[in-house]
Amino acid sequence: MLFLIIFTDKISVMILGNVKSLKKALITNILGKDLSVLTKRKILKNTEIYDDDTFEFTCTPDLNTTCDDIRELFSKNPNFDLCLLVVEDGFSTGNVQKQIKDLNKKTGKPREELTVVLPLRYKFTEYPFKFYTLEQVFSKLSKLLKDKQLNPTNKRKRSADTAEPQDGSKKKEKLTSTKVNLVLLGLAGTGKSASGNTILGKKHFVSRPSSNPVTTECQVEETEINDLHVRVIDTPDMFDDDTEPSVRDKHVKRCKELCESELCVYVLVMHVSRFTDGERDILEKLENTFGTKVKEQTVILFTRGENLEEAEMTLEGFLHSCQPGLKEIIEKCNNRCVLFENRSSSSDQVEKLMNTVSVVLKKTAKIQ
Ligand SMILES: Nc1nc2c(ncn2[C@@H]2O[C@H](COP(=O)(O)OP(=O)(O)O)[C@@H](O)[C@H]2O)c(=O)[nH]1
Ligand SMILES: [Mg+2]
């Protein structure tokens, strides 16, 4: 009799959950690469396997379908290295407990071996089930890799700073977080409202040339970008020294109210060919207003990209040669800069911004 033993040294991860896009987003997040670069196989009725040299992710059918794949998968291979249950932002603890109970009944897998992955913005609190934050998933996988003495094929360093795109040109990464506030800040006339409209893909905010500030109140508009619910908050110039403190305080209060409890990424909007005295100490003003961690959550958005194009300059070239005061601000924000041309409707610029935002979000989840 011939015994065929299939021996795989890969880390096998089963991904369970009710929302297909979230399961795929988790794989993307873990590997730091787009699913399109992985090998994909379909097995059973509705199960997809994605693998590279190190990992094998079994992406199971949604739990609320009647498909019996999950039962079969466990009966064939009860020894996945990790079984992760992906849950939605705003999940109900009761529902999750029920899903775990059902899975345990269906597959015989002990409940403590089914680990819930918390959505990105969730902090470590007590839950009546086993759970990991995304960071804990990373460390668990690193440990498994060490135990199996495998080298990660994912060469991306998890140290957030070195992983940062300088120009946002890194590959698109989806996020497990579902909501973010992009707070547009900066002096009047720099192009905050125009940039907000570019992000939204629609003219929601009033934007026009004027010697007087056009935006006089904070305003929020919402959109979906790559599975992420983005709340764009446009603001008047809150840092103008001529603004009455009481008026400024009113705007700041309103801006904070509009942010609700979601994660915030501050987008400091600046005119690419104009750096003014009012902007020299803008980071200090931001810190005084939004707290000392604000730098870690700030992306600098330069408007009027056309000006650089006309001068045949790249963003990198511009950043390299800009004046020391501006350079200092950029460095303090870890070189997170993007270039917009608000006259253009190219979605590429928004995508680059969102890539940079995703880096901030991953880091923010760590610092909170
Ligand atoms: N050419 C060009 N004009 C821009 C750009 N961004 C903003 N503007 C113009 O700059 C002016 C002020 O923009 P606005 O969005 O109102 O600035 P805000 O006061 O910071 O909100 C408007 O006339 C915009 O059309 C850009 O990227 N390119
Ligand atoms: Mg405006």
Side-chain angles (χ1 to χ4, degrees), residues 267-327:
V267 181
L268 177 57
V269 181
M270 294 173 120
H271 187 314
V272 79
S273 22
R274 207 180 294 150
F275 179 59
T276 60
D277 279 344
E279 284 164 316
R280 225 164 272 284
D281 57 352
I282 192 127
L283 274 188
E284 285 72 41
K285 287 175 179 164
L286 284 185
E287 281 185 2
N288 291 339
T289 312
F290 296 103
T292 50
K293 290 247 187 314
V294 74
K295 288 194 299 284
E296 293 160 53
Q297 290 166 253
T298 298
V299 175
I300 300 172
L301 187 158
F302 290 104
T303 58
R304 293 173 175 79
E306 247 173 33
N307 288 13
L308 287 192
E309 214 170 280
E310 280 156 16
E312 293 181 0
M313 277 177 95
T314 59
L315 178 61
E316 290 74 34
F318 165 77
L319 297 176
H320 187 72
S321 59
C322 69
Q323 49 166 295
L326 178 56
K327 221 176 217 172

Side-chain angles (χ1 to χ4, degrees), residues 184-198 203 205-210 212-215 234-237 269-272 301-307 310 339-344 349:
L184 299 162
L185 300 167
L187 304 196
T190 50
K192 295 181 293 300
S193 304
S195 303
N197 291 335
T198 303
K203 209 166 179 319
F205 304 126
V206 181
S207 164
R208 60 179 153 80
S210 166
N212 290 315
V214 176
T215 309
D234 189 22
T235 63
D237 178 1
V269 181
M270 294 173 120
H271 187 314
V272 79
L301 187 158
F302 290 104
T303 58
R304 293 173 175 79
E306 247 173 33
N307 288 13
E310 280 156 16
L339 185 66
F340 263 39
E341 173 44 64
N342 289 313
R343 281 193 184 159
S344 148
Q349 46 191 0

Side-chain angles (χ1 to χ4, degrees), residues 164-176:
E164 277 183 19
Q166 302 272 312
D167 61 354
S169 63
K170 248 185 77 193
K171 209 164 263 173
K172 186 168 102 186
E173 289 176 6
K174 283 192 177 175
L175 296 158
T176 46

Side-chain angles (χ1 to χ4, degrees), residues 107-282:
T107 65
K109 189 85 178 162
R111 288 183 205 189
E112 59 280 10
E113 286 181 43
L114 298 163
T115 310
V116 171
V117 182
L118 296 180
L120 198 60
R121 73 181 173 90
Y122 279 68
K123 292 178 198 161
F124 194 93
T125 10
E126 283 307 314
Y127 290 102
F129 41 74
K130 187 173 174 203
F131 65 92
Y132 284 147
T133 60
L134 200 56
E135 281 311 302
Q136 287 172 314
V137 174
F138 293 152
S139 36
K140 176 69 187 172
L141 289 173
S142 306
K143 191 172 175 301
L144 283 168
L145 283 169
K146 237 193 213 162
D147 293 346
K148 286 208 179 191
Q149 295 190 318
L150 287 174
N151 288 321
T153 45
N154 170 23
K155 298 282 190 296
R156 178 174 71 139
K157 284 193 192 154
R158 297 238 175 262
S159 141
D161 289 52
T162 47
E164 277 183 19
Q166 302 272 312
D167 61 354
S169 63
K170 248 185 77 193
K171 209 164 263 173
K172 186 168 102 186
E173 289 176 6
K174 283 192 177 175
L175 296 158
T176 46
S177 161
T178 54
K179 259 192 191 180
V180 64
N181 294 308
L182 297 187
V183 189
L184 299 162
L185 300 167
L187 304 196
T190 50
K192 295 181 293 300
S193 304
S195 303
N197 291 335
T198 303
I199 298 167
L200 293 161
K202 228 173 170 183
K203 209 166 179 319
H204 281 294
F205 304 126
V206 181
S207 164
R208 60 179 153 80
S210 166
S211 51
N212 290 315
V214 176
T215 309
T216 51
E217 297 293 337
C218 293
Q219 186 185 338
V220 64
E221 294 292 342
E222 313 193 16
T223 187
E224 299 284 325
I225 306 174
N226 296 340
D227 291 345
L228 190 66
H229 188 93
V230 180
R231 304 177 78 249
V232 182
I233 298 170
D234 189 22
T235 63
D237 178 1
M238 301 197 279
F239 306 105
D240 183 352
D241 292 331
D242 292 340
T243 308
E244 285 281 322
S246 62
V247 176
R248 192 193 53 227
D249 291 350
K250 186 192 85 177
H251 291 320
V252 169
K253 184 166 173 266
R254 182 67 189 135
C255 177
K256 288 182 178 173
E257 274 167 12
L258 289 178
C259 289
E260 296 176 347
S261 59
E262 309 306 334
L263 282 175
C264 288
V265 173
Y266 302 95
V267 181
L268 177 57
V269 181
M270 294 173 120
H271 187 314
V272 79
S273 22
R274 207 180 294 150
F275 179 59
T276 60
D277 279 344
E279 284 164 316
R280 225 164 272 284
D281 57 352
I282 192 127

Side-chain angles (χ1 to χ4, degrees), residues 13-14 16 74 80-85 109 113-116:
V13 185
M14 173 176 267
L16 303 147
F74 274 106
F80 283 92
D81 290 306
L82 207 55
C83 291
L84 301 175
L85 174 59
K109 189 85 178 162
E113 286 181 43
L114 298 163
T115 310
V116 171

